[in-house]
Amino acid sequence: MKTIKLRAIEPEDLDLLYEIENDTRLWNVGTTNVPYSRYTLHDYIATSSDDAYADRQVRMIIEDHNGETVGIADLVNFSPSHLRAETGIVILDAERRKGYATEALEELCRYARQVLHMHQLYGVVASDNEAALALYEKAGFQTQNRLKDWLYDGRKYTDAVLMQRFL
């Protein structure tokens, strides 16, 4: 039974986006390492065309069956010429371990295949993030390579694993 849906980011999601983008615990798993202002995020929401081909990314809100926000799902670094993108899933702390990430990643794969006609998705996962590695494996992603000292959290470097799924 499907318990989540993905929807476009709305202006009302500004506080959530601000909270997630400025959560320093997440900076070592992404490309962000500076805080975003509300103005910058407001501008992003206002000017996003909601077209992956134009924006080279798609960011969506994950809602549960009651319409409550439980996280964000991303397709970033989208390459129209190669029909691939990097995936990202953030589930709010209080909503973790409820299966939302698994459903969101599957829905992201379906969307990428059926709507964007993509060929492949990939994820770059910290080698010590057992939950994320298990999530990607469960969704049919395969380990392709280990990236030495790929992620830096301000104190130490961590290896990352490149996970890939052909659609």
Side-chain angles (χ1 to χ4, degrees):
M1 179 181 150
K2 187 175 169 182
T3 61
I4 63 106
K5 78 172 189 176
L6 302 179
R7 66 162 175 81
I9 293 179
E10 300 288 349
E12 296 78 24
D13 298 314
L14 177 61
D15 289 339
L16 171 72
L17 197 58
Y18 183 81
E19 175 186 337
I20 288 173
E21 292 294 347
N22 291 300
D23 185 342
T24 57
R25 296 173 301 157
L26 302 174
W27 287 2
N28 68 319
V29 297
T31 58
T32 299
N33 62 1
V34 295
Y36 281 97
S37 69
R38 286 186 185 282
Y39 177 81
T40 298
L41 295 171
H42 178 273
D43 191 50
Y44 165 78
I45 293 170
T47 61
S48 174
S49 70
D50 294 326
D51 177 354
Y53 285 85
D55 297 338
R56 302 293 198 257
Q57 68 176 342
V58 176
R59 305 196 74 195
M60 294 179 276
I61 299 297
I62 307 167
E63 289 185 343
D64 68 10
H65 65 283
N66 292 319
E68 297 295 320
T69 299
V70 298
I72 295 181
D74 298 327
L75 292 174
V76 297
N77 299 324
F78 173 51
S79 171
S81 58
H82 300 291
L83 295 173
R84 69 173 175 243
E86 183 176 353
T87 61
I89 306 277
V90 175
I91 302 297
L92 300 175
D93 289 344
E95 303 300 336
R96 292 189 178 158
R97 307 252 182 245
K98 297 180 182 178
Y100 294 134
T102 299
E103 282 192 64
L105 187 53
E106 280 299 329
E107 188 65 16
L108 209 53
C109 290
R110 185 204 62 75
Y111 176 80
R113 180 181 59 253
Q114 294 179 1
V115 177
L116 300 176
H117 310 292
M118 296 181 71
H119 174 62
Q120 63 182 297
L121 295 177
Y122 67 94
V124 177
V125 182
S127 61
D128 60 356
N129 188 340
E130 294 176 15
L133 291 169
L135 167 69
Y136 277 91
E137 286 175 7
K138 185 176 180 180
F141 285 71
Q142 295 181 344
T143 299
Q144 296 302 325
N145 206 351
R146 186 176 193 96
L147 305 167
K148 185 80 175 146
D149 288 349
W150 197 256
L151 303 170
Y152 183 65
D153 68 3
R155 296 180 313 277
K156 67 178 178 19
Y157 287 94
T158 304
D159 292 356
V161 176
L162 177 64
M163 308 288 293
Q164 181 182 38
R165 176 175 165 180
F166 292 95
L167 305 171

